[in-house]
Amino acid sequence: MAELCFDSYGNPFILFKDQDKQKRLTGNDAIKSHIIAARTVANIVRTSLGPRGLDKILVSPDGEVTVTNDGATILKQMDVDHEIGKLMVQLSQSQDDEIGDGTTGVVVLAGALLEQADALIDRGIHPIRIADGFELAAQCAVQQLEAIAQPYPIKLDNLEPLIKVAMTTLGSKIVNKCHRQMAEIAVNAVLAVADLEKRDVNFELIKIETKVGGKLEDTTLVKGVVIDKTMSHSQMPKTLKDVKLAILTCPFEPPKPKTKHKLNVTSADDYRELRKYEQDKFQEMVKQVKDAGATLAICQWGFDDEANHLLLQQELPAVRWVGGPEIELIAIATGGRIVPRFEELTAEKLGFAGLVREMSFGTTKDKMLVIEECKNSKAVTILIRGGNQMLIAEAKRSIHDALCIVRSLIKDSRIVYGGGAAEISCSLAVAKEADQLSSLEQYAFRGFAEALESIPLALAENSGLAPIETLSELKSRHISEKCSSLGVDCMLTGNSDMKHHNVIESLNSKKQQILLATQLVKMILKIDDVRTSSEEF
């Protein structure tokens, strides 16, 4: 902490406080400190890469347990204090926000780049020259990706290509035992809300609901809306057909004056008069809903037992305490309008659904409300089942990744092959380009090429293979066979051709990984001054 002071002649000088408790690193020492912190974070998630990667168990301060191998989730829930470590967390989150998949790979690649930078700094190369060389090498790698990318036609009458890509995304997740079914659900959900002409997907129309119980195989796609609510009264009908919905954000209760004044009831007659006023208001509200032609009332707020009993008497089924996002999705799906006041409710503002039913689960009392055959069939809900909350939460994250990668393919349908095949091809291209350079950047190019090899090395290591031998053989075959689809045989089938295994990744995802990792590394290499307290350092 610094303070501006003046001497007896009026000359200003800066007084630094607590200098004995401060530690300052500058130059290469600061950069090496950053590299150590970033590599430590990268090494944590390295073992989670690939279909044979291991899961991590994370326990929050309040005792909540999370089991996952999703890189973004692991890093987000880790308690990272170091500033550079936090940058790695943000890197993973950026990949998750932009693409939705590849969150582990981007961190592993960034860690490998920093490891190569560390070795180059020891050889006396200036960090800025290294950063600039990495940036040029990244452009070379992206050009190679563009060269080996293949078009992947998206047709509504042939969903198999999209399903294969979604299965690749889900292959490393906990749901891989039924990942064909999950991939089909993800593809059908995205295509239900996609605009193929504009190449756009509105994720707000896809809702993911979870319910503990059953098996993962019981996960279903509902062409409509599922809400975790039931009819407000147990004697209301459980199934309704050709339903006209009144979507209300006003409660079934008498209006209360928004003033600080109080109403004092001093006699029995006054109480009876107030009671009659409330009953008349209840009946008036129900009559307004019935007169509009509604056969089901969806209410954002609650209502008391008297209003609930009156709704049952008037044969008007109702659902209460429906959340704001669910209200909006129901309005979009059914084509209805959200009504804030009973006086504004008209027949034109009602939504329509062909079927509204309560869904029960096993021997429990849990029930959910399903609104199907809606006017706007684009809104869909994925209902995930599973044996416990941890399994369901991981399945939800997995399906989200699959949804994101299918959306990415709709925006740009070009693909590359996974299993480290794209990284090996890019590594060979960057190394070849390094041989053509006469400037100092050739060392950064070779370091970048070696960093790209960290992905297939990690895949081989996590699969129980000999990493160096596996990588050497693949590089040799890439050169001799001129085949860019050869990757690490993680499942030990004896065939390294990822085209044969349908291990397919989005070109956008792979490009984003390389570019984001390079940008972060360049930023870290340019930070050469850090001041911290000795206790925290």
Side-chain angles (χ1 to χ4, degrees):
M1 185 175 178
E3 183 179 346
L4 183 64
C5 302
F6 297 90
D7 62 16
S8 57
Y9 297 100
N11 297 320
F13 65 93
I14 297 175
L15 179 65
F16 288 97
K17 296 181 178 180
D18 300 328
Q19 280 291 292
D20 59 323
K21 297 180 182 177
Q22 299 259 332
K23 185 164 185 177
R24 181 177 179 181
L25 290 176
T26 58
N28 287 347
D29 289 338
I31 294 174
K32 283 181 171 291
S33 169
H34 304 332
I35 290 174
I36 290 170
R39 286 179 57 190
T40 302
V41 173
N43 288 337
I44 290 172
V45 296
R46 180 184 172 91
T47 54
S48 296
L49 189 67
R52 295 296 183 91
L54 302 176
D55 292 352
K56 302 286 185 287
I57 184 166
L58 304 161
V59 183
S60 67
D62 58 356
E64 184 180 351
V65 177
T66 303
V67 178
T68 182
N69 71 346
D70 180 63
T73 305
I74 294 169
L75 294 175
K76 188 163 56 176
Q77 297 198 16
M78 277 172 51
D79 188 11
V80 180
D81 288 332
H82 199 284
E83 286 69 22
I84 302 303
K86 290 176 182 177
L87 288 179
M88 297 291 278
V89 175
Q90 292 171 10
L91 169 69
S92 179
Q93 195 61 48
S94 298
Q95 177 75 12
D96 195 35
D97 294 341
E98 187 67 23
I99 302 296
D101 191 32
T103 54
T104 306
V106 70
V107 175
V108 172
L109 179 57
L113 285 171
L114 287 169
E115 184 178 354
Q116 294 299 320
D118 192 17
L120 292 174
I121 289 172
D122 288 340
R123 296 175 68 176
I125 302 176
H126 195 278
I128 297 298
R129 300 294 296 271
I130 298 171
D132 292 342
F134 279 172
E135 193 169 21
L136 293 172
Q139 294 174 9
C140 177
V142 169
Q143 289 174 3
Q144 177 66 12
L145 284 175
E146 297 273 359
I148 64 174
Q150 299 181 10
Y152 218 53
I154 297 174
K155 298 178 182 178
L156 293 177
D157 57 348
N158 182 20
L159 302 183
E160 194 62 27
L162 286 174
I163 292 172
K164 288 177 181 177
V165 178
M167 287 175 66
T168 301
T169 303
L170 295 170
S172 61
K173 309 296 183 184
I174 203 167
V175 299
N176 58 4
K177 68 171 184 176
C178 55
H179 67 310
R180 169 82 193 190
Q181 175 193 349
M182 296 291 187
E184 290 176 356
I185 288 173
V187 170
N188 289 327
V190 170
L191 291 180
V193 303
D195 187 338
L196 294 181
E197 291 183 3
K198 295 181 179 178
R199 289 187 169 274
D200 189 33
V201 178
N202 185 1
F203 263 14
E204 292 183 0
L205 296 176
I206 302 177
K207 185 169 181 281
I208 302 179
E209 278 287 345
T210 61
K211 180 63 73 172
V212 175
K215 308 184 294 271
L216 278 173
E217 289 84 349
D218 296 332
T219 299
T220 56
L221 176 67
V222 177
K223 296 292 183 68
V225 183
V226 178
I227 55 176
D228 197 5
K229 301 293 176 185
T230 59
M231 295 295 181
S232 62
H233 199 289
S234 59
Q235 293 180 345
M236 287 178 179
K238 308 301 181 189
T239 303
L240 300 169
K241 294 186 178 180
D242 297 329
V243 185
K244 292 182 178 179
L245 294 91
I247 305 168
L248 308 170
T249 56
C250 44
F252 275 97
E253 61 181 26
K256 297 176 181 176
K258 295 180 180 179
T259 68
K260 295 181 180 179
H261 301 309
K262 295 181 180 179
L263 178 63
N264 293 323
V265 179
T266 58
S267 66
D269 291 338
D270 289 344
Y271 179 78
R272 291 191 194 97
E273 186 178 345
L274 179 62
R275 173 83 172 164
K276 186 176 184 307
Y277 166 77
E278 289 187 350
Q279 286 181 333
D280 291 343
K281 272 296 178 183
F282 280 141
Q283 290 174 349
E284 182 185 342
M285 292 171 184
V286 176
K287 185 175 183 300
Q288 286 173 329
V289 177
K290 293 278 287 186
D291 290 346
T295 56
L296 175 64
I298 304 284
C299 189
Q300 186 175 8
W301 303 102
F303 37 84
D304 59 19
D305 292 339
E306 187 174 354
N308 200 16
H309 183 69
L310 185 60
L311 287 166
L312 178 65
Q313 278 187 333
Q314 298 293 326
E315 297 182 350
L316 179 61
V319 184
R320 56 185 169 184
W321 297 119
V322 180
E326 287 84 0
I327 284 277
E328 292 177 7
L329 194 60
I330 291 170
I332 293 170
T334 61
R337 297 283 296 277
I338 299 173
V339 180
R341 285 185 290 273
F342 287 98
E343 294 79 7
E344 298 180 12
L345 185 61
T346 60
E348 293 77 21
K349 295 181 179 180
L350 299 177
F352 176 80
L355 178 65
V356 177
R357 60 186 175 88
E358 274 190 4
M359 180 191 300
S360 58
F361 302 96
T363 59
T364 67
K365 295 181 180 179
D366 289 342
K367 292 182 175 60
M368 299 180 85
L369 201 66
V370 183
I371 303 172
E372 296 178 290
E373 300 173 20
C374 301
K375 195 172 185 179
N376 178 9
S377 60
K378 282 197 166 185
V380 297
T381 303
I382 300 173
L383 178 61
I384 301 175
R385 305 299 310 283
N388 57 53
Q389 189 59 48
M390 287 184 293
L391 187 66
I392 287 179
E394 180 66 356
K396 184 176 180 178
R397 287 187 287 267
S398 303
I399 285 186
H400 176 264
D401 287 356
L403 292 171
C404 289
I405 212 67
V406 175
R407 176 191 63 176
S408 178
L409 269 181
I410 287 176
K411 291 183 176 180
D412 185 350
S413 59
R414 292 175 296 170
I415 58 99
V416 292
Y417 291 98
E423 284 84 356
I424 293 172
S425 180
C426 290
S427 173
L428 292 172
V430 173
K432 185 177 180 182
E433 184 68 22
D435 295 336
Q436 310 300 320
L437 296 175
S438 58
S439 63
L440 204 60
E441 277 72 19
Q442 62 176 296
Y443 295 100
F445 267 65
R446 292 194 180 96
F448 196 95
E450 287 189 32
L452 285 170
E453 294 172 0
S454 65
I455 300 294
L457 280 172
L459 289 173
E461 191 176 337
N462 293 343
S463 303
L465 300 170
I468 304 299
E469 289 85 343
T470 303
L471 178 62
S472 301
E473 181 189 352
L474 288 172
K475 287 174 68 176
S476 174
R477 291 182 62 188
H478 266 260
I479 296 170
S480 60
E481 300 177 21
K482 291 183 171 55
C483 179
S484 62
S485 62
L486 295 173
V488 179
D489 180 18
C490 296
M491 307 311 289
L492 309 179
T493 59
N495 190 336
S496 299
D497 192 348
M498 297 297 108
K499 193 172 185 179
H500 174 78
H501 293 302
N502 294 317
V503 180
I504 304 164
E505 297 185 17
S506 163
L507 172 65
N508 269 345
S509 175
K510 198 59 68 178
K511 282 170 60 177
Q512 193 75 11
Q513 282 186 45
I514 292 174
L515 294 174
L516 282 178
T518 307
Q519 288 172 10
L520 179 74
V521 169
K522 185 176 180 181
M523 180 192 300
I524 292 174
L525 291 176
K526 288 188 174 183
I527 303 173
D528 72 337
D529 196 344
V530 60
R531 184 190 296 271
T532 179
S533 66
S534 57
E535 292 85 357
E536 294 176 355
F537 184 73

PDB file of all heavy atoms in Angstrom, residues 192-213:
ATOM      1  N   ALA A 192     -35.427 -29.532 -32.643  1.00  0.00           N
ATOM      2  CA  ALA A 192     -36.808 -29.098 -32.403  1.00  0.00           C
ATOM      3  C   ALA A 192     -36.898 -27.581 -32.265  1.00  0.00           C
ATOM      4  O   ALA A 192     -37.932 -26.988 -32.585  1.00  0.00           O
ATOM      5  CB  ALA A 192     -37.359 -29.767 -31.138  1.00  0.00           C
ATOM      6  N   VAL A 193     -35.822 -26.951 -31.786  1.00  0.00           N
ATOM      7  CA  VAL A 193     -35.859 -25.498 -31.566  1.00  0.00           C
ATOM      8  C   VAL A 193     -34.951 -24.748 -32.543  1.00  0.00           C
ATOM      9  O   VAL A 193     -34.849 -23.520 -32.464  1.00  0.00           O
ATOM     10  CB  VAL A 193     -35.437 -25.154 -30.119  1.00  0.00           C
ATOM     11  CG1 VAL A 193     -36.325 -25.875 -29.129  1.00  0.00           C
ATOM     12  CG2 VAL A 193     -33.981 -25.500 -29.864  1.00  0.00           C
ATOM     13  N   ALA A 194     -34.287 -25.454 -33.468  1.00  0.00           N
ATOM     14  CA  ALA A 194     -33.303 -24.822 -34.351  1.00  0.00           C
ATOM     15  C   ALA A 194     -33.981 -24.169 -35.551  1.00  0.00           C
ATOM     16  O   ALA A 194     -35.024 -24.626 -36.036  1.00  0.00           O
ATOM     17  CB  ALA A 194     -32.281 -25.853 -34.825  1.00  0.00           C
ATOM     18  N   ASP A 195     -33.367 -23.100 -36.020  1.00  0.00           N
ATOM     19  CA  ASP A 195     -33.748 -22.459 -37.273  1.00  0.00           C
ATOM     20  C   ASP A 195     -32.619 -22.737 -38.261  1.00  0.00           C
ATOM     21  O   ASP A 195     -31.587 -22.057 -38.253  1.00  0.00           O
ATOM     22  CB  ASP A 195     -33.937 -20.952 -37.068  1.00  0.00           C
ATOM     23  CG  ASP A 195     -34.505 -20.261 -38.311  1.00  0.00           C
ATOM     24  OD1 ASP A 195     -34.345 -20.837 -39.404  1.00  0.00           O
ATOM     25  OD2 ASP A 195     -35.089 -19.172 -38.180  1.00  0.00           O
ATOM     26  N   LEU A 196     -32.791 -23.767 -39.093  1.00  0.00           N
ATOM     27  CA  LEU A 196     -31.714 -24.208 -39.976  1.00  0.00           C
ATOM     28  C   LEU A 196     -31.402 -23.185 -41.064  1.00  0.00           C
ATOM     29  O   LEU A 196     -30.280 -23.154 -41.583  1.00  0.00           O
ATOM     30  CB  LEU A 196     -32.073 -25.555 -40.606  1.00  0.00           C
ATOM     31  CG  LEU A 196     -32.175 -26.738 -39.623  1.00  0.00           C
ATOM     32  CD1 LEU A 196     -32.522 -28.021 -40.358  1.00  0.00           C
ATOM     33  CD2 LEU A 196     -30.884 -26.912 -38.834  1.00  0.00           C
ATOM     34  N   GLU A 197     -32.363 -22.347 -41.441  1.00  0.00           N
ATOM     35  CA  GLU A 197     -32.109 -21.327 -42.453  1.00  0.00           C
ATOM     36  C   GLU A 197     -31.174 -20.252 -41.916  1.00  0.00           C
ATOM     37  O   GLU A 197     -30.234 -19.825 -42.578  1.00  0.00           O
ATOM     38  CB  GLU A 197     -33.424 -20.705 -42.915  1.00  0.00           C
ATOM     39  CG  GLU A 197     -34.302 -21.659 -43.718  1.00  0.00           C
ATOM     40  CD  GLU A 197     -35.558 -20.973 -44.216  1.00  0.00           C
ATOM     41  OE1 GLU A 197     -35.701 -19.747 -43.978  1.00  0.00           O
ATOM     42  OE2 GLU A 197     -36.383 -21.645 -44.837  1.00  0.00           O
ATOM     43  N   LYS A 198     -31.432 -19.815 -40.682  1.00  0.00           N
ATOM     44  CA  LYS A 198     -30.582 -18.793 -40.054  1.00  0.00           C
ATOM     45  C   LYS A 198     -29.389 -19.406 -39.338  1.00  0.00           C
ATOM     46  O   LYS A 198     -28.532 -18.685 -38.832  1.00  0.00           O
ATOM     47  CB  LYS A 198     -31.399 -17.971 -39.050  1.00  0.00           C
ATOM     48  CG  LYS A 198     -32.506 -17.160 -39.687  1.00  0.00           C
ATOM     49  CD  LYS A 198     -33.251 -16.350 -38.627  1.00  0.00           C
ATOM     50  CE  LYS A 198     -34.356 -15.513 -39.248  1.00  0.00           C
ATOM     51  NZ  LYS A 198     -35.104 -14.758 -38.215  1.00  0.00           N
ATOM     52  N   ARG A 199     -29.340 -20.731 -39.259  1.00  0.00           N
ATOM     53  CA  ARG A 199     -28.284 -21.456 -38.534  1.00  0.00           C
ATOM     54  C   ARG A 199     -28.178 -20.952 -37.095  1.00  0.00           C
ATOM     55  O   ARG A 199     -27.105 -20.554 -36.632  1.00  0.00           O
ATOM     56  CB  ARG A 199     -26.945 -21.318 -39.255  1.00  0.00           C
ATOM     57  CG  ARG A 199     -26.886 -22.085 -40.562  1.00  0.00           C
ATOM     58  CD  ARG A 199     -25.502 -22.073 -41.160  1.00  0.00           C
ATOM     59  NE  ARG A 199     -25.417 -23.024 -42.266  1.00  0.00           N
ATOM     60  CZ  ARG A 199     -25.136 -24.310 -42.146  1.00  0.00           C
ATOM     61  NH1 ARG A 199     -24.946 -24.819 -40.951  1.00  0.00           N
ATOM     62  NH2 ARG A 199     -25.066 -25.100 -43.202  1.00  0.00           N
ATOM     63  N   ASP A 200     -29.314 -20.966 -36.422  1.00  0.00           N
ATOM     64  CA  ASP A 200     -29.370 -20.459 -35.058  1.00  0.00           C
ATOM     65  C   ASP A 200     -30.183 -21.411 -34.196  1.00  0.00           C
ATOM     66  O   ASP A 200     -31.098 -22.085 -34.682  1.00  0.00           O
ATOM     67  CB  ASP A 200     -29.990 -19.062 -35.031  1.00  0.00           C
ATOM     68  CG  ASP A 200     -29.876 -18.412 -33.660  1.00  0.00           C
ATOM     69  OD1 ASP A 200     -28.873 -18.671 -32.975  1.00  0.00           O
ATOM     70  OD2 ASP A 200     -30.787 -17.663 -33.269  1.00  0.00           O
ATOM     71  N   VAL A 201     -29.844 -21.472 -32.904  1.00  0.00           N
ATOM     72  CA  VAL A 201     -30.549 -22.331 -31.948  1.00  0.00           C
ATOM     73  C   VAL A 201     -30.883 -21.493 -30.723  1.00  0.00           C
ATOM     74  O   VAL A 201     -30.000 -20.873 -30.125  1.00  0.00           O
ATOM     75  CB  VAL A 201     -29.683 -23.546 -31.520  1.00  0.00           C
ATOM     76  CG1 VAL A 201     -30.420 -24.382 -30.488  1.00  0.00           C
ATOM     77  CG2 VAL A 201     -29.329 -24.394 -32.729  1.00  0.00           C
ATOM     78  N   ASN A 202     -32.156 -21.451 -30.359  1.00  0.00           N
ATOM     79  CA  ASN A 202     -32.595 -20.718 -29.175  1.00  0.00           C
ATOM     80  C   ASN A 202     -32.618 -21.664 -27.984  1.00  0.00           C
ATOM     81  O   ASN A 202     -33.560 -22.436 -27.803  1.00  0.00           O
ATOM     82  CB  ASN A 202     -33.979 -20.106 -29.422  1.00  0.00           C
ATOM     83  CG  ASN A 202     -34.435 -19.222 -28.276  1.00  0.00           C
ATOM     84  OD1 ASN A 202     -33.702 -19.038 -27.294  1.00  0.00           O
ATOM     85  ND2 ASN A 202     -35.625 -18.686 -28.374  1.00  0.00           N
ATOM     86  N   PHE A 203     -31.554 -21.596 -27.152  1.00  0.00           N
ATOM     87  CA  PHE A 203     -31.441 -22.498 -26.013  1.00  0.00           C
ATOM     88  C   PHE A 203     -32.498 -22.223 -24.948  1.00  0.00           C
ATOM     89  O   PHE A 203     -32.739 -23.077 -24.093  1.00  0.00           O
ATOM     90  CB  PHE A 203     -30.052 -22.383 -25.398  1.00  0.00           C
ATOM     91  CG  PHE A 203     -29.100 -23.451 -25.872  1.00  0.00           C
ATOM     92  CD1 PHE A 203     -29.414 -24.232 -26.975  1.00  0.00           C
ATOM     93  CD2 PHE A 203     -27.906 -23.690 -25.226  1.00  0.00           C
ATOM     94  CE1 PHE A 203     -28.561 -25.216 -27.423  1.00  0.00           C
ATOM     95  CE2 PHE A 203     -27.034 -24.678 -25.660  1.00  0.00           C
ATOM     96  CZ  PHE A 203     -27.374 -25.435 -26.758  1.00  0.00           C
ATOM     97  N   GLU A 204     -33.112 -21.050 -24.968  1.00  0.00           N
ATOM     98  CA  GLU A 204     -34.123 -20.737 -23.955  1.00  0.00           C
ATOM     99  C   GLU A 204     -35.357 -21.627 -24.095  1.00  0.00           C
ATOM    100  O   GLU A 204     -36.143 -21.755 -23.160  1.00  0.00           O
ATOM    101  CB  GLU A 204     -34.525 -19.269 -24.054  1.00  0.00           C
ATOM    102  CG  GLU A 204     -33.412 -18.314 -23.642  1.00  0.00           C
ATOM    103  CD  GLU A 204     -33.857 -16.872 -23.667  1.00  0.00           C
ATOM    104  OE1 GLU A 204     -35.040 -16.630 -24.008  1.00  0.00           O
ATOM    105  OE2 GLU A 204     -33.041 -15.999 -23.359  1.00  0.00           O
ATOM    106  N   LEU A 205     -35.526 -22.229 -25.285  1.00  0.00           N
ATOM    107  CA  LEU A 205     -36.680 -23.100 -25.513  1.00  0.00           C
ATOM    108  C   LEU A 205     -36.413 -24.538 -25.067  1.00  0.00           C
ATOM    109  O   LEU A 205     -37.310 -25.375 -25.139  1.00  0.00           O
ATOM    110  CB  LEU A 205     -37.067 -23.082 -26.995  1.00  0.00           C
ATOM    111  CG  LEU A 205     -37.550 -21.738 -27.540  1.00  0.00           C
ATOM    112  CD1 LEU A 205     -37.816 -21.834 -29.034  1.00  0.00           C
ATOM    113  CD2 LEU A 205     -38.795 -21.271 -26.806  1.00  0.00           C
ATOM    114  N   ILE A 206     -35.186 -24.827 -24.642  1.00  0.00           N
ATOM    115  CA  ILE A 206     -34.852 -26.172 -24.150  1.00  0.00           C
ATOM    116  C   ILE A 206     -34.720 -26.103 -22.634  1.00  0.00           C
ATOM    117  O   ILE A 206     -33.863 -25.397 -22.111  1.00  0.00           O
ATOM    118  CB  ILE A 206     -33.545 -26.697 -24.764  1.00  0.00           C
ATOM    119  CG1 ILE A 206     -33.632 -26.735 -26.285  1.00  0.00           C
ATOM    120  CG2 ILE A 206     -33.222 -28.090 -24.227  1.00  0.00           C
ATOM    121  CD1 ILE A 206     -32.351 -27.164 -26.965  1.00  0.00           C
ATOM    122  N   LYS A 207     -35.583 -26.827 -21.941  1.00  0.00           N
ATOM    123  CA  LYS A 207     -35.552 -26.836 -20.477  1.00  0.00           C
ATOM    124  C   LYS A 207     -35.110 -28.227 -20.017  1.00  0.00           C
ATOM    125  O   LYS A 207     -35.537 -29.235 -20.583  1.00  0.00           O
ATOM    126  CB  LYS A 207     -36.947 -26.507 -19.935  1.00  0.00           C
ATOM    127  CG  LYS A 207     -37.025 -26.370 -18.422  1.00  0.00           C
ATOM    128  CD  LYS A 207     -38.373 -25.776 -18.028  1.00  0.00           C
ATOM    129  CE  LYS A 207     -38.501 -25.601 -16.528  1.00  0.00           C
ATOM    130  NZ  LYS A 207     -38.806 -26.838 -15.841  1.00  0.00           N
ATOM    131  N   ILE A 208     -34.240 -28.256 -19.028  1.00  0.00           N
ATOM    132  CA  ILE A 208     -33.764 -29.534 -18.478  1.00  0.00           C
ATOM    133  C   ILE A 208     -34.294 -29.674 -17.062  1.00  0.00           C
ATOM    134  O   ILE A 208     -33.998 -28.850 -16.196  1.00  0.00           O
ATOM    135  CB  ILE A 208     -32.226 -29.623 -18.493  1.00  0.00           C
ATOM    136  CG1 ILE A 208     -31.694 -29.461 -19.915  1.00  0.00           C
ATOM    137  CG2 ILE A 208     -31.766 -30.948 -17.909  1.00  0.00           C
ATOM    138  CD1 ILE A 208     -30.178 -29.509 -20.017  1.00  0.00           C
ATOM    139  N   GLU A 209     -35.116 -30.699 -16.835  1.00  0.00           N
ATOM    140  CA  GLU A 209     -35.663 -30.996 -15.512  1.00  0.00           C
ATOM    141  C   GLU A 209     -35.053 -32.295 -15.004  1.00  0.00           C
ATOM    142  O   GLU A 209     -34.728 -33.193 -15.794  1.00  0.00           O
ATOM    143  CB  GLU A 209     -37.192 -31.134 -15.565  1.00  0.00           C
ATOM    144  CG  GLU A 209     -37.937 -29.816 -15.517  1.00  0.00           C
ATOM    145  CD  GLU A 209     -37.913 -29.165 -14.140  1.00  0.00           C
ATOM    146  OE1 GLU A 209     -37.560 -29.859 -13.164  1.00  0.00           O
ATOM    147  OE2 GLU A 209     -38.212 -27.976 -14.043  1.00  0.00           O
ATOM    148  N   THR A 210     -34.873 -32.394 -13.712  1.00  0.00           N
ATOM    149  CA  THR A 210     -34.301 -33.602 -13.119  1.00  0.00           C
ATOM    150  C   THR A 210     -35.227 -34.136 -12.023  1.00  0.00           C
ATOM    151  O   THR A 210     -35.929 -33.372 -11.365  1.00  0.00           O
ATOM    152  CB  THR A 210     -32.917 -33.315 -12.509  1.00  0.00           C
ATOM    153  OG1 THR A 210     -33.058 -32.332 -11.469  1.00  0.00           O
ATOM    154  CG2 THR A 210     -31.959 -32.785 -13.562  1.00  0.00           C
ATOM    155  N   LYS A 211     -35.212 -35.444 -11.844  1.00  0.00           N
ATOM    156  CA  LYS A 211     -35.991 -36.078 -10.779  1.00  0.00           C
ATOM    157  C   LYS A 211     -35.253 -37.334 -10.331  1.00  0.00           C
ATOM    158  O   LYS A 211     -34.972 -38.228 -11.126  1.00  0.00           O
ATOM    159  CB  LYS A 211     -37.394 -36.427 -11.267  1.00  0.00           C
ATOM    160  CG  LYS A 211     -38.268 -37.091 -10.236  1.00  0.00           C
ATOM    161  CD  LYS A 211     -38.532 -36.182  -9.033  1.00  0.00           C
ATOM    162  CE  LYS A 211     -39.483 -35.073  -9.344  1.00  0.00           C
ATOM    163  NZ  LYS A 211     -39.888 -34.317  -8.128  1.00  0.00           N
ATOM    164  N   VAL A 212     -34.920 -37.379  -9.051  1.00  0.00           N
ATOM    165  CA  VAL A 212     -34.193 -38.526  -8.509  1.00  0.00           C
ATOM    166  C   VAL A 212     -35.086 -39.760  -8.533  1.00  0.00           C
ATOM    167  O   VAL A 212     -36.269 -39.690  -8.180  1.00  0.00           O
ATOM    168  CB  VAL A 212     -33.726 -38.239  -7.069  1.00  0.00           C
ATOM    169  CG1 VAL A 212     -33.072 -39.467  -6.457  1.00  0.00           C
ATOM    170  CG2 VAL A 212     -32.761 -37.065  -7.056  1.00  0.00           C
ATOM    171  N   GLY A 213     -34.499 -40.890  -8.911  1.00  0.00           N
ATOM    172  CA  GLY A 213     -35.251 -42.140  -8.993  1.00  0.00           C
ATOM    173  C   GLY A 213     -35.170 -42.698 -10.400  1.00  0.00           C
ATOM    174  O   GLY A 213     -34.923 -41.982 -11.365  1.00  0.00           O
TER     175      GLY A 213
END
